[in-house]
Amino acid sequence: MSAHIHGMAYSFLIFDFGGDEDAAQQARHRIEGWRQGFRLDKKLQLKFDRKELEAKQESTTEPASKSSKGSSKGSAASKPKAKNAGVAESEGGANAPSASEIRMIVRLDFSDHEKLSHQRWLERIPTEEPFKAAKPKVLRHGGPEFEKTEELFDSLD
């Protein structure tokens, strides 16, 4: 009897957002919306693989920009301009592609009788807006990088 019962192997979708934290968060919100809306709690899971690059350079540039704001005392009209410039500098630093490497790994885990749903989600997710620019890669069971990705997914929080 157990020979007839086997679950469908799951697939992974990997999206490489580079250092674009905003796009990664938009993608996470989109996935969470689908999970709630279509009741895909266990069938559609995601985890982030973040690698910090050059984090020391960022920490040294931030205090320098703060000290320049504190030392420049002007009229009340010039202070908002300085704040806006500081915000623009911090946003530029946060979105710098060299700051971190963000990959989102999505696992689709549908049972054997849900093959059509599995296929539709595999085709739909990479074509949606936040995912298009993230270099989508589909890994199916038995593929060359599948086992390595499975171990990475299980090791992430």
Side-chain angles (χ1 to χ4, degrees):
M1 180 139 186
S2 64
H4 296 286
I5 301 174
H6 67 288
M8 184 173 177
Y10 42 85
S11 301
F12 290 106
L13 293 164
I14 300 175
F15 302 98
D16 186 4
F17 290 100
D20 193 357
E21 182 70 34
D22 293 337
Q25 291 304 319
Q26 286 177 356
R28 182 182 65 82
H29 286 297
R30 178 65 65 95
I31 295 280
E32 292 298 326
W34 287 333
R35 285 178 65 187
Q36 290 177 3
F38 293 103
R39 297 182 183 200
L40 298 172
D41 188 41
K42 300 290 182 198
K43 298 174 185 182
L44 185 64
Q45 298 177 351
L46 73 110
K47 293 185 181 180
F48 282 98
D49 180 22
R50 298 174 189 268
K51 295 178 184 170
E52 294 298 324
L53 306 172
E54 301 177 15
K56 293 178 182 176
Q57 286 184 349
E58 273 189 45
S59 64
T60 58
T61 58
E62 286 179 21
S65 65
K66 288 179 183 177
S67 64
S68 67
K69 277 195 264 182
S71 64
S72 61
K73 293 184 180 178
S75 65
S78 66
K79 284 185 181 178
K81 290 180 185 176
K83 287 181 183 175
N84 290 341
V87 169
E89 287 173 6
S90 67
E91 284 178 0
N95 292 336
S98 63
S100 65
E101 186 70 25
I102 303 170
R103 289 187 338 162
M104 182 169 75
I105 304 172
V106 178
R107 182 171 73 182
L108 296 174
D109 190 8
F110 288 87
S111 61
D112 202 28
H113 71 279
E114 298 173 307
K115 287 181 183 177
L116 186 58
S117 294
H118 185 146
Q119 186 61 35
R120 286 182 177 163
W121 281 108
L122 273 177
E123 292 171 359
R124 176 183 182 175
I125 294 173
T127 62
E128 294 286 330
E129 187 48 46
F131 304 101
K132 281 185 199 177
K135 304 172 198 158
K137 185 188 333 181
V138 177
L139 298 176
R140 296 178 187 267
H141 185 70
E145 299 176 29
F146 184 84
E147 289 181 20
K148 193 169 28 172
T149 304
E150 183 178 26
E151 290 173 9
L152 175 65
F153 187 84
D154 290 338
S155 70
L156 295 171
D157 292 343

